[in-house]
Amino acid sequence: MARGINKVILVGNLGNDPDMKYTQGGMAICTLSLATTSVRKDKDGQQIEKTEWHRVKLFGKLGEIAGEYLKKGRQVYIEGSIRYDKFTGQDGVEKYFTDIVADEMQMLGGGGGGGAEGGGRDFDREERTSRPAPRQAAAPRREAAPAKSNDFGDDFADDDIPF
Amino acid sequence: MARGINKVILVGNLGNDPDMKYTQGGMAICTLSLATTSVRKDKDGQQIEKTEWHRVKLFGKLGEIAGEYLKKGRQVYIEGSIRYDKFTGQDGVEKYFTDIVADEMQMLGGGGGGGAEGGGRDFDREERTSRPAPRQAAAPRREAAPAKSNDFGDDFADDDIPF
Amino acid sequence: MARGINKVILVGNLGNDPDMKYTQGGMAICTLSLATTSVRKDKDGQQIEKTEWHRVKLFGKLGEIAGEYLKKGRQVYIEGSIRYDKFTGQDGVEKYFTDIVADEMQMLGGGGGGGAEGGGRDFDREERTSRPAPRQAAAPRREAAPAKSNDFGDDFADDDIPF
Amino acid sequence: MARGINKVILVGNLGNDPDMKYTQGGMAICTLSLATTSVRKDKDGQQIEKTEWHRVKLFGKLGEIAGEYLKKGRQVYIEGSIRYDKFTGQDGVEKYFTDIVADEMQMLGGGGGGGAEGGGRDFDREERTSRPAPRQAAAPRREAAPAKSNDFGDDFADDDIPF
DNA sequence: TTTT
DNA sequence: TTTT
């Protein structure tokens, strides 16, 4: 029941290896630094380059895949939405952050393999931690991911899909 | 693990009321006829209009919402993917169809309310029927749709979401 | 010769009337405050709304059209790119801004009429001023806009277009 | 003054080398066959792949760049719009075609270099020819492409751009 | 600050 | 077949 569309599509290269963090519950939070460069011609006809560095967040299973396969320099397709955040530091100064919250990621350029999809856009906030998820917590969660046979939710049987 | 991106974004007006069909299993198939008009200037400076009529398919719950709220003339946002189909008629002639398979829909222009999301992109093909879904089959299915509290699949608990 | 894609698509409502400024040379800079609201279900099944306020910039002719036709509350489609800026205030504190630089705008919901396109993405920076463009400067510029009969640039004659 | 949005974003691989044709006036028409593959899980949990083959048209300078740099197998980003066409063959049978008319193209995966932009969406129709453009016609046209210093059209001087 |  |  959203009102409005907030959609971002990026194709760029990673400036660094993915930064992985995990919540206390073991959910992955992967942060990418992604460069997109545009070029225009100067009034003297010279090429002017401008690079934007996007901070991209991938959560959950999508973040795990990103952390496992992406590397510095790698080219990647990201689809997601823009999220603006404001924090007040201990010094009382407000700080603003803009994140791209990914809900689709695809490695480009052959080397990597396919893509991945997942992750909703807006969730409750909780303390995050940089401790890696304890094996016994995180690992079973991954394996618990069910092989969903369709994306319609639970209101259809699998043999009820007409195309 | 898709390889490639196939994404369509449309904003247009409906040429007709939605066309509703249901599978034998009771799944809704809603077909929209959606116009997008572009304008360019002629070599004589005159405005030339060109209208494309898109055949948009919405399946399952998304199709039901479309069928309930959309009407002829209504402006709508559609996000989905392109699907090309080929059928051979009884006369042996091959016929080609291009559909936009929606995975997001949003009514525009105030009158209608919010948006809806859902429906995957590619599924098995099955015979379709134009008989409305029998009450005793379809109704429970709709009600069976669980109030999913997140989109991460089943590998997180609800209280494990850090933002 | 850009390297990368930096694309934003927004559909939202204006929180205020457009803010118009003009460069010393008379170019319009229109700033919009655009809300997009997403909804998700809470772990208790309750609807949680989150609204992002996007700062959208439209330059030149596109900005003039926006300033003329858009109003507070109006629903609009915006396509553009993300631009991150950093300024150091007089207090020496760095401030960060994120803008959506529009290159397409379309009014939604009937009331307004069509759309408009224009404006490149990256240009030289120059001091901006809030004084309206002087008539004798701005007006001729607007009229000077030629009725381009195609978008291929100057390397084709008008009668050389094959479709 | 378009009414509606008709936007397609594709990332895929070429099934063949680009097919080049030229109008009598020397304008390039480049046709690509572009594959996008999506994967879903079967009801038995097996991966089901579905490949869509898009027919992408690039005109003018954009088509020339595509013809020069793209090759079979190459991965490419395409942005454009959908165009539906209907022709009646000599046998009196109507034939339907769906094209993606590109207005942006970018080579992916390192090997190729940057991207290119250009080409409007809808133009007059004219007979097309497969003869290559005569050197004396096409070559000067390419060189005649002016080094536009901005995209605002002719209504601003170059030093009138505020960012 | 919008909208439904 | 829509819409402005």
Side-chain angles (χ1 to χ4, degrees), chain B residues 6 10 14 22 31 41 54 62 73 76 82 89 110 118 128 144 146 156:
Chain B
N6 172 0
L10 302 174
L14 298 191
Y22 297 86
T31 304
K41 280 226 181 76
H54 308 269
L62 188 60
V76 69
I82 312 178
R128 47 191 85 171
F156 309 117

Side-chain angles (χ1 to χ4, degrees), chain A residues 83-85 122 125, chain C residues 36-40 48-52:
Chain A
R83 193 182 66 182
Y84 308 100
D85 276 322
D122 294 277
R125 189 167 294 278
Chain C
T36 60
T37 301
S38 61
V39 184
R40 68 172 188 88
I48 304 291
E49 295 207 346
K50 178 121 194 295
T51 296
E52 305 295 344

Side-chain angles (χ1 to χ4, degrees), chain A residues 4 27 106 123-124 159 163, chain B residues 4 83 106 123-124 126 162-163:
Chain A
M27 191 184 73
Q106 198 155 132
F123 305 91
D124 284 327
D159 53 4
F163 64 107
Chain B
R83 192 183 66 183
Q106 198 155 132
F123 304 92
D124 284 326
E126 174 199 295
F163 64 109

